[in-house]
Amino acid sequence: MAKAKGSEGNIRQKNKAVIFNAAKKEFVTYGFKGASIKRIAERANIARANIHYYFQDKTDLYQQLLSNIIDVWNREYDTLTVDKEPKEALSAYIRAKVMHSKDDPDSSRIFASELIHGAPVLNDYLNGDFREWLESQVSVIEAWIDQGLIDKVNPHHLLFLIWSSTQHYADFNVQVVAALDKESMTDDDFEDVVTSLTQIILKGCGIK
């Protein structure tokens, strides 16, 4: 029985991932109000009833999509720990965030749109789990400052700078490629972003 349940869980996870990927494109293209379950089903190449099997309605799908985006970010980008050297930890954090803008720009755009519209779905998260997570990251930066490993900088603004500068290449990619006179950014372009932002931010923290 345990094996059957595990198999069923894997199928459920895979099906929801397909729906989430289709929903990202739909919400980015039309926004929450303009998005439709019908088009999401067409994008995912599945029956509309299959979406309602996993999600009550469009609102439920949107809420679960945002939760999934946040879960991925918290799992993959929680790299700032006191047992790591700041140069290593910050460099890895910047690279991970830039590469996420490259590999999954729609997640960043959906999250940004939610915040721009006043975070109606994420308000409780921002005032609860997010604040707790943020303070854990701030405490790491403060520990580095106390040990003399980095200059005295405002931890909150350092994190805001990293978030905004890295996610800029997803949220404002149209502006970026126009400014660079390109049709799209290449892998080399994103590597240049990593190098440039890492140099600027580490130097601003007094790290050679």
Side-chain angles (χ1 to χ4, degrees):
M1 289 297 294
K3 185 176 181 180
K5 288 182 179 179
S7 177
E8 181 180 347
N10 289 336
I11 293 173
R12 180 182 182 87
Q13 189 175 9
K14 289 179 180 179
N15 288 343
K16 289 185 73 171
V18 169
I19 296 170
F20 280 149
N21 286 333
K24 285 179 187 178
K25 296 295 183 184
E26 180 72 9
F27 287 127
V28 164
T29 303
Y30 295 100
F32 174 75
K33 289 185 178 180
S36 77
I37 293 293
K38 179 178 180 294
R39 281 196 301 267
I40 292 172
E42 291 171 352
R43 290 177 185 273
N45 196 28
I46 60 174
R48 182 171 178 172
N50 286 356
I51 293 182
H52 289 295
Y53 178 79
Y54 296 106
F55 308 98
Q56 294 178 3
D57 50 28
K58 184 173 71 172
T59 299
D60 182 40
L61 172 53
Y62 178 69
Q63 290 173 335
Q64 290 197 43
L65 174 60
L66 281 171
S67 295
N68 179 259
I69 290 171
I70 291 168
D71 286 343
V72 170
W73 287 357
N74 287 348
R75 183 171 63 252
E76 296 185 5
Y77 306 129
D78 197 9
T79 60
L80 306 187
T81 57
V82 291
D83 60 326
K84 291 183 179 179
E85 290 294 322
K87 181 177 181 179
E88 172 194 355
L90 291 171
S91 296
Y93 190 44
I94 294 166
R95 168 171 286 278
K97 292 288 290 179
V98 170
M99 290 306 158
H100 187 76
S101 286
K102 169 181 174 288
D103 297 331
D104 191 11
D106 288 343
S107 288
S108 182
R109 291 166 187 159
I110 291 170
F111 185 80
S113 179
E114 167 70 10
L115 297 188
I116 288 170
H117 288 88
V121 171
L122 291 180
N123 187 61
D124 289 343
Y125 163 73
L126 292 175
N127 289 289
D129 291 344
F130 167 74
R131 187 172 293 177
E132 182 178 340
W133 173 83
L134 176 60
E135 289 309 309
S136 72
Q137 302 300 285
V138 167
S139 66
V140 171
I141 297 171
E142 289 176 336
W144 289 340
I145 294 171
D146 292 341
Q147 296 172 49
L149 299 176
I150 66 173
D151 289 348
K152 188 175 182 179
V153 297
N154 184 300
H156 287 89
H157 295 311
L158 172 58
L159 291 170
F160 298 159
L161 173 62
I162 294 173
W163 299 342
S164 61
S165 61
T166 56
Q167 288 175 229
H168 178 84
Y169 294 91
D171 302 344
F172 296 95
N173 188 259
V174 172
Q175 181 189 50
V176 170
V177 295
L180 296 177
D181 194 21
K182 292 174 173 283
E183 292 186 4
S184 63
M185 294 181 66
T186 65
D187 290 346
D188 287 342
D189 289 327
F190 278 101
E191 287 296 336
D192 188 40
V193 172
V194 172
T195 300
S196 297
L197 292 184
T198 302
Q199 179 182 10
I200 293 166
I201 293 170
L202 293 188
K203 190 172 183 178
C205 292
I207 301 172
K208 295 183 179 179

